[in-house]
mmCIF file of all heavy atoms in Angstrom:
data_model
loop_
_atom_site.group_PDB
_atom_site.id
_atom_site.type_symbol
_atom_site.label_atom_id
_atom_site.label_comp_id
_atom_site.label_asym_id
_atom_site.label_seq_id
_atom_site.Cartn_x
_atom_site.Cartn_y
_atom_site.Cartn_z
ATOM 1 N N LYS G 550 -22.818 73.433 25.369
ATOM 2 C CA LYS G 550 -22.557 74.447 26.426
ATOM 3 C C LYS G 550 -23.560 75.619 26.365
ATOM 4 O O LYS G 550 -24.140 75.949 27.335
ATOM 5 C CB LYS G 550 -21.126 74.916 26.402
ATOM 6 C CG LYS G 550 -20.132 73.959 26.934
ATOM 7 C CD LYS G 550 -18.753 74.545 27.100
ATOM 8 C CE LYS G 550 -18.033 74.574 25.777
ATOM 9 N NZ LYS G 550 -16.670 75.099 25.899
ATOM 10 N N ASP G 551 -23.708 76.172 25.159
ATOM 11 C CA ASP G 551 -24.490 77.386 25.024
ATOM 12 C C ASP G 551 -26.006 77.039 24.971
ATOM 13 O O ASP G 551 -26.797 77.806 25.476
ATOM 14 C CB ASP G 551 -24.104 78.158 23.792
ATOM 15 C CG ASP G 551 -22.771 78.885 23.931
ATOM 16 O OD1 ASP G 551 -22.286 78.804 25.125
ATOM 17 O OD2 ASP G 551 -22.215 79.349 22.945
ATOM 18 N N GLY G 552 -26.303 75.888 24.384
ATOM 19 C CA GLY G 552 -27.716 75.590 24.162
ATOM 20 C C GLY G 552 -28.305 74.605 25.179
ATOM 21 O O GLY G 552 -29.551 74.445 25.259
ATOM 22 N N PHE G 553 -27.516 73.953 26.003
ATOM 23 C CA PHE G 553 -28.007 72.957 26.886
ATOM 24 C C PHE G 553 -27.609 73.284 28.384
ATOM 25 O O PHE G 553 -28.423 73.363 29.228
ATOM 26 C CB PHE G 553 -27.620 71.567 26.474
ATOM 27 C CG PHE G 553 -28.307 70.473 27.308
ATOM 28 C CD1 PHE G 553 -29.612 70.106 26.986
ATOM 29 C CD2 PHE G 553 -27.719 69.928 28.378
ATOM 30 C CE1 PHE G 553 -30.267 69.097 27.700
ATOM 31 C CE2 PHE G 553 -28.326 68.949 29.121
ATOM 32 C CZ PHE G 553 -29.611 68.565 28.845
ATOM 33 N N LEU G 554 -26.336 73.404 28.557
ATOM 34 C CA LEU G 554 -25.807 73.609 29.896
ATOM 35 C C LEU G 554 -26.105 74.955 30.460
ATOM 36 O O LEU G 554 -26.402 75.086 31.636
ATOM 37 C CB LEU G 554 -24.248 73.297 29.975
ATOM 38 C CG LEU G 554 -23.836 71.880 29.568
ATOM 39 C CD1 LEU G 554 -22.371 71.753 29.742
ATOM 40 C CD2 LEU G 554 -24.601 70.852 30.369
ATOM 41 N N LYS G 555 -25.921 75.943 29.652
ATOM 42 C CA LYS G 555 -26.320 77.298 30.108
ATOM 43 C C LYS G 555 -27.806 77.424 30.357
ATOM 44 O O LYS G 555 -28.581 76.862 29.601
ATOM 45 C CB LYS G 555 -25.945 78.351 29.030
ATOM 46 C CG LYS G 555 -24.567 78.936 29.127
ATOM 47 C CD LYS G 555 -24.501 80.184 28.260
ATOM 48 C CE LYS G 555 -23.064 80.626 28.048
ATOM 49 N NZ LYS G 555 -22.937 81.686 27.139
ATOM 50 N N GLN G 556 -28.174 78.067 31.412
ATOM 51 C CA GLN G 556 -29.564 78.174 31.727
ATOM 52 C C GLN G 556 -29.814 79.526 32.471
ATOM 53 O O GLN G 556 -29.092 79.824 33.412
ATOM 54 C CB GLN G 556 -30.049 77.005 32.571
ATOM 55 C CG GLN G 556 -31.567 76.912 32.653
ATOM 56 C CD GLN G 556 -31.955 75.453 33.144
ATOM 57 O OE1 GLN G 556 -31.193 74.606 33.330
ATOM 58 N NE2 GLN G 556 -33.254 75.300 33.381
ATOM 59 N N HIS G 557 -30.772 80.270 32.005
ATOM 60 C CA HIS G 557 -31.054 81.535 32.656
ATOM 61 C C HIS G 557 -32.105 81.334 33.785
ATOM 62 O O HIS G 557 -33.216 81.024 33.572
ATOM 63 C CB HIS G 557 -31.633 82.488 31.522
ATOM 64 C CG HIS G 557 -31.529 83.905 32.022
ATOM 65 N ND1 HIS G 557 -32.051 84.422 33.159
ATOM 66 C CD2 HIS G 557 -30.931 84.963 31.381
ATOM 67 C CE1 HIS G 557 -31.769 85.663 33.215
ATOM 68 N NE2 HIS G 557 -31.015 86.082 32.173
ATOM 69 N N ALA G 558 -31.615 81.573 35.013
ATOM 70 C CA ALA G 558 -32.408 81.317 36.217
ATOM 71 C C ALA G 558 -33.622 82.222 36.381
ATOM 72 O O ALA G 558 -34.530 81.940 37.115
ATOM 73 C CB ALA G 558 -31.577 81.382 37.474
ATOM 74 N N TYR G 559 -33.669 83.306 35.548
ATOM 75 C CA TYR G 559 -34.752 84.241 35.755
ATOM 76 C C TYR G 559 -35.581 84.452 34.509
ATOM 77 O O TYR G 559 -36.495 85.233 34.423
ATOM 78 C CB TYR G 559 -34.283 85.535 36.307
ATOM 79 C CG TYR G 559 -33.612 85.375 37.627
ATOM 80 C CD1 TYR G 559 -32.235 85.314 37.746
ATOM 81 C CD2 TYR G 559 -34.371 85.297 38.789
ATOM 82 C CE1 TYR G 559 -31.552 85.159 38.997
ATOM 83 C CE2 TYR G 559 -33.811 85.087 40.002
ATOM 84 C CZ TYR G 559 -32.419 85.068 40.128
ATOM 85 O OH TYR G 559 -31.829 84.850 41.330
ATOM 86 N N ASP G 560 -35.229 83.697 33.456
ATOM 87 C CA ASP G 560 -36.063 83.729 32.213
ATOM 88 C C ASP G 560 -37.323 82.939 32.404
ATOM 89 O O ASP G 560 -37.294 81.818 32.966
ATOM 90 C CB ASP G 560 -35.199 83.188 31.029
ATOM 91 C CG ASP G 560 -35.960 83.411 29.733
ATOM 92 O OD1 ASP G 560 -35.808 84.485 29.114
ATOM 93 O OD2 ASP G 560 -36.603 82.430 29.344
ATOM 94 N N LYS G 561 -38.409 83.501 31.900
ATOM 95 C CA LYS G 561 -39.712 82.845 32.134
ATOM 96 C C LYS G 561 -39.736 81.402 31.602
ATOM 97 O O LYS G 561 -40.241 80.470 32.222
ATOM 98 C CB LYS G 561 -40.841 83.597 31.448
ATOM 99 C CG LYS G 561 -41.500 84.601 32.384
ATOM 100 C CD LYS G 561 -42.846 85.023 31.698
ATOM 101 C CE LYS G 561 -43.192 86.445 32.093
ATOM 102 N NZ LYS G 561 -42.684 87.475 31.228
#
Side-chain angles (χ1 to χ4, degrees):
Chain G
K550 283 190 281 182
D551 289 350
F553 188 82
L554 299 184
K555 268 195 197 176
Q556 192 164 356
H557 200 304
Y559 298 99
D560 183 87
K561 265 198 212 89

